[in-house]
Amino acid sequence: MNLKLKILVDNGQTLIEAVVVIAVGIIVVAALVFATIASLRNSGTAKNQAQATKLAQEGLEIVRTSRDRDGAINNLSGVNYCWAASCSGMTPIWSARLSQDICIPAPSVCYFKITSGDLISLSITGASLPPPSGGETIGNFTRYVILDDDALNYPNWKTVTALVTWSDFAGTHESRVSTFLRKL
């Protein structure tokens, strides 16, 4: 009888061994779930970043097309600007110092939103950059266009930056794309 009991004990598992195996299994499954969730979040962030960069590049192309077609640049102070050197009833943007003449309040950064191919100036209150609202909303993204003077050659060159912001589980993000536009 003693021999039968010894064989049963040698071939079986103890309760402690079973608990250890279950604990190790739970840790492995939890690690796999965590890795999968992190991978999904990273792919979502990468997708949003790519979409924001695409929207920013599209914003630059809209501004470039506006310049080429002599689109309007509407200012909150009531003075309307255009891109051409000789526009009918509007002031050419090339003769303006953006940070002093167009931005509200001046001097500051000139934020615009795109509406039907034209630029519309946004008012900035306080030190909130970019403005908390007023940009062009595209799904979860908000697009702003920033016009700035080239410090040395402002009558011939303007710096254009498209800024796209969005928020997700990790906070607020932005994508910026810049170019220079010259007077045609």
Side-chain angles (χ1 to χ4, degrees):
M1 179 110 148
N2 199 7
L3 183 60
K4 284 183 179 180
L5 184 59
K6 182 170 173 64
I7 292 172
L8 288 174
V9 169
D10 286 341
N11 290 335
Q13 295 178 337
T14 64
L15 182 59
I16 294 173
E17 289 172 333
V19 168
V20 168
V21 168
I22 291 171
V24 168
I26 289 173
I27 290 171
V28 168
V29 169
L32 290 173
V33 167
F34 179 75
T36 302
I37 290 172
S39 176
L40 290 173
R41 283 185 177 178
N42 287 338
S43 70
T45 300
K47 178 184 170 192
N48 285 340
Q49 183 67 44
Q51 180 69 24
T53 301
K54 179 183 171 196
L55 289 171
Q57 290 170 340
E58 181 183 80
L60 291 182
E61 289 302 317
I62 292 170
V63 172
R64 184 174 285 117
T65 301
S66 176
R67 181 217 40 197
D68 294 347
R69 294 182 180 169
D70 194 25
I73 303 168
N74 299 310
N75 186 8
L76 291 176
S77 66
V79 178
N80 292 325
Y81 293 85
C82 63
W83 288 100
S86 60
C87 4
S88 59
M90 291 190 263
T91 306
I93 193 74
W94 307 105
S95 63
R97 293 288 295 197
L98 293 170
S99 62
Q100 298 169 5
D101 298 337
I102 296 179
C103 299
I104 305 288
S108 63
V109 177
C110 291
Y111 282 93
F112 296 85
K113 73 175 180 177
I114 300 170
T115 304
S116 302
D118 293 335
L119 298 177
I120 300 183
S121 179
L122 299 174
S123 178
I124 299 174
T125 56
S128 179
L129 299 174
S133 63
E136 180 186 10
T137 302
I138 306 164
N140 188 36
F141 302 95
T142 304
R143 178 169 56 194
Y144 302 94
V145 173
I146 303 167
L147 294 181
D148 198 7
D149 294 316
D150 180 87
L152 300 175
N153 200 10
Y154 79 90
N156 297 311
W157 293 89
K158 301 295 180 189
T159 303
V160 181
T161 302
L163 169 66
V164 177
T165 62
W166 76 96
S167 297
D168 61 14
F169 65 91
T172 302
H173 309 280
E174 67 178 42
S175 179
R176 288 177 184 257
V177 180
S178 294
T179 192
F180 291 101
L181 290 182
R182 65 179 178 82
K183 182 162 90 173
L184 294 178

